[in-house]
Amino acid sequence: MPPNLRWLSEIISTLRLRYKRLNLDLHYEAAWTDSWSHRRCRHQHQTLLEAAKCAMPNGAGWYVFAVDARGPRQLTDAEDAIVNEFRFGSQHLG
């Protein structure tokens, strides 16, 4: 993972710890498909990378989603970029 994404992940984690009341109980979960069935780890990962590392051993059909006070939600574009960088590495198309 490029250093700038690693730094971004650390900065976000630090800010989430510093300003817990603004987090809306945000955490991330790993999920995957197994024989046309959706599974999830049900761990409360504090970072996207922790959740991605949890999901990765479960095969190619894994993904990460966020859970906040309102329930599960799709990752934002910025969150998704971090997970994709972990999954696929740096891809500069240009």
Side-chain angles (χ1 to χ4, degrees):
M1 176 184 303
N4 52 345
L5 277 181
R6 197 168 295 132
W7 279 105
L8 178 62
S9 179
E10 287 184 34
I11 289 168
I12 290 171
S13 296
T14 302
L15 288 172
R16 288 180 62 213
L17 289 172
R18 174 97 169 103
Y19 299 101
K20 280 191 175 228
R21 69 189 188 299
L22 300 177
N23 289 336
L24 301 174
D25 298 322
L26 177 66
H27 68 272
Y28 301 99
E29 289 190 29
W32 58 93
T33 56
D34 183 11
S35 300
W36 300 283
S37 173
H38 292 278
R39 308 277 185 201
R40 63 197 268 194
C41 70
R42 297 205 178 267
H43 301 142
Q44 293 186 4
H45 299 287
Q46 295 303 304
T47 68
L48 290 161
L49 296 181
E50 286 176 14
K53 288 175 185 177
C54 184
M56 193 174 223
N58 294 296
W62 65 268
Y63 54 98
V64 174
F65 63 96
V67 180
D68 59 23
R70 295 170 295 209
R73 68 163 174 81
Q74 183 175 342
L75 297 180
T76 64
D77 288 342
E79 291 168 328
D80 204 30
I82 292 170
V83 172
N84 285 336
E85 180 70 27
F86 173 80
R87 178 184 286 190
F88 303 117
S90 180
Q91 294 188 3
H92 298 287
L93 304 174

